[in-house]
Amino acid sequence: MFKIDLDVLLPRLIAIATIIGIMCVLLLIVRWIVKELRKKSDLTKERATIIRIASNIIRGVVIALAAIAILQTCGINISGAVAGLGVAGIIVSFALQDYLKDIMSGIRIINDKYFMLDDVIEFNGNIGIVIEMNIKHTKIKLISDGSIISISNHLIESCRKYPEIIGVPVEIPLSYDLSPKIADKVLGEAAEKIKTIENVTDTRYDGLINFQASAVLYKIIVFCDPRNKYMVSKNSYRCVFDELLKNNISVPYDTYTIISDKTSGSEN
């Protein structure tokens, strides 16, 4: 049977409870400060990103210091334990290579301002909004379906950052038989109607841009926030199609000619 020395155990339990209490109070203070800073109307994306990352670092430091204090309260010599790691420390360092790479890449992303919170970026073909970032990983919410992807920072060697307003191309194939003047008139009217679509900032009609095998290609550029790219593109094509139908203009499609080689059988 173990003999419990209350004279030793009780002070340690009180000290541990005190340490945990102080840690919780500090974490609540950090959380309150971050919440108040986010309420400021002049808070830029850069400052919001720095605040988020700084708060994460401070929380980690507070928790780490509390853990060290608790271990020392329990009689564990932290400095001696660290000095005695030896070979085990080297093995652990190799195991933590990716973790350290994440931290270094995270610091580089923040320092070079690759992107900030609420920016729209494209990574490996995925376009999404940066909803969370720290020195270890970045989370983006995909514009296409709303799913969330978490990316280790050391994997972000390069990415595309979208501006606040982008141009979405709307390409319209029309028949060679259609007069360019009529095409310009109808598509110009369609471009004006697209301006009235929700989330559209502006439009630009570029006119004829290319000759294809069975059609002449025209283009309208629709300007919008990249967050609304997919919906704006869909609604713009619908608007163009409605305008073509209204003016009895059909959209050409590829046709194929099948040649049948009929051979007659020979008589013996």
Side-chain angles (χ1 to χ4, degrees), residues 19 23 26-27 30 53-69 99 135:
I19 293 169
M23 179 190 72
L26 291 175
L27 292 177
V30 172
I53 294 172
S55 65
N56 289 335
I57 294 174
I58 292 171
R59 288 190 187 103
V61 171
V62 169
I63 293 172
L65 291 176
I68 292 172
Y99 188 86
I135 58 175

Side-chain angles (χ1 to χ4, degrees), residues 221-268:
I221 302 295
V222 183
F223 297 95
C224 67
D225 189 304
R227 296 165 180 79
N228 305 315
K229 175 182 177 181
Y230 292 102
M231 188 57 66
V232 164
S233 177
K234 172 185 171 183
N235 292 335
S236 297
Y237 274 107
R238 178 57 188 267
C239 183
V240 170
F241 190 60
D242 288 342
E243 198 66 21
L244 293 177
L245 291 177
K246 176 183 172 182
N247 290 272
N248 296 317
I249 299 174
S250 60
V251 177
Y253 49 87
D254 292 336
T255 59
Y256 299 92
T257 302
I258 301 175
I259 301 175
S260 177
D261 183 15
K262 294 183 179 180
T263 57
S264 60
S266 60
E267 295 182 0
N268 293 328

Side-chain angles (χ1 to χ4, degrees), residues 19-244:
I19 293 169
I20 294 174
I22 294 172
M23 179 190 72
C24 292
V25 170
L26 291 175
L27 292 177
L28 287 173
I29 292 173
V30 172
R31 183 178 179 182
W32 177 80
I33 293 173
V34 171
K35 187 177 180 180
E36 290 298 314
L37 289 174
R38 287 179 181 174
K39 289 181 179 179
K40 292 186 176 181
S41 58
D42 60 343
L43 187 64
T44 62
K45 288 194 293 185
E46 181 179 350
R47 290 181 180 178
T49 303
I50 294 173
I51 289 170
R52 175 75 65 87
I53 294 172
S55 65
N56 289 335
I57 294 174
I58 292 171
R59 288 190 187 103
V61 171
V62 169
I63 293 172
L65 291 176
I68 292 172
I70 290 172
L71 290 174
Q72 289 183 336
T73 301
C74 293
I76 300 174
N77 188 348
I78 300 299
S79 58
V82 172
L85 285 176
V87 177
I90 298 175
I91 296 173
V92 171
S93 66
F94 277 109
L96 294 177
Q97 276 187 358
D98 285 344
Y99 188 86
L100 296 175
K101 287 179 182 178
D102 285 338
I103 293 176
M104 296 304 297
S105 298
I107 293 172
R108 188 176 71 252
I109 289 171
I110 297 165
N111 184 60
D112 295 342
K113 300 178 183 177
Y114 280 11
F115 50 80
M116 298 291 174
L117 285 173
D118 205 39
D119 280 344
V120 178
I121 66 171
E122 180 177 351
F123 174 74
N124 283 352
N126 297 307
I127 303 174
I129 305 167
V130 179
I131 59 173
E132 182 180 331
M133 62 181 298
N134 53 43
I135 58 175
K136 188 178 183 302
H137 68 265
T138 298
K139 287 185 179 180
I140 63 173
K141 183 177 182 180
L142 298 186
I143 294 175
S144 57
D145 58 8
S147 57
I148 296 174
I149 296 180
S150 181
I151 311 165
S152 294
N153 284 337
H154 79 274
L155 297 177
I156 307 178
E157 296 179 356
S158 63
C159 70
R160 178 184 179 186
K161 177 184 174 182
Y162 283 84
E164 293 184 359
I165 300 295
I166 63 170
V168 180
V170 177
E171 298 181 346
I172 309 103
L174 295 177
S175 172
Y176 276 95
D177 296 331
L178 183 67
S179 167
K181 290 184 178 179
I182 296 176
D184 289 340
K185 178 179 179 297
V186 173
L187 294 180
E189 292 173 353
E192 289 299 317
K193 289 187 177 181
I194 291 174
K195 287 182 181 180
T196 63
I197 295 176
E198 184 180 5
N199 298 319
V200 172
T201 304
D202 198 4
T203 60
R204 186 184 75 223
Y205 176 55
D206 286 352
L208 193 156
I209 61 167
N210 196 5
F211 296 100
Q212 297 184 330
S214 58
V216 181
L217 197 64
Y218 294 81
K219 180 190 284 188
I220 298 173
I221 302 295
V222 183
F223 297 95
C224 67
D225 189 304
R227 296 165 180 79
N228 305 315
K229 175 182 177 181
Y230 292 102
M231 188 57 66
V232 164
S233 177
K234 172 185 171 183
N235 292 335
S236 297
Y237 274 107
R238 178 57 188 267
C239 183
V240 170
F241 190 60
D242 288 342
E243 198 66 21
L244 293 177

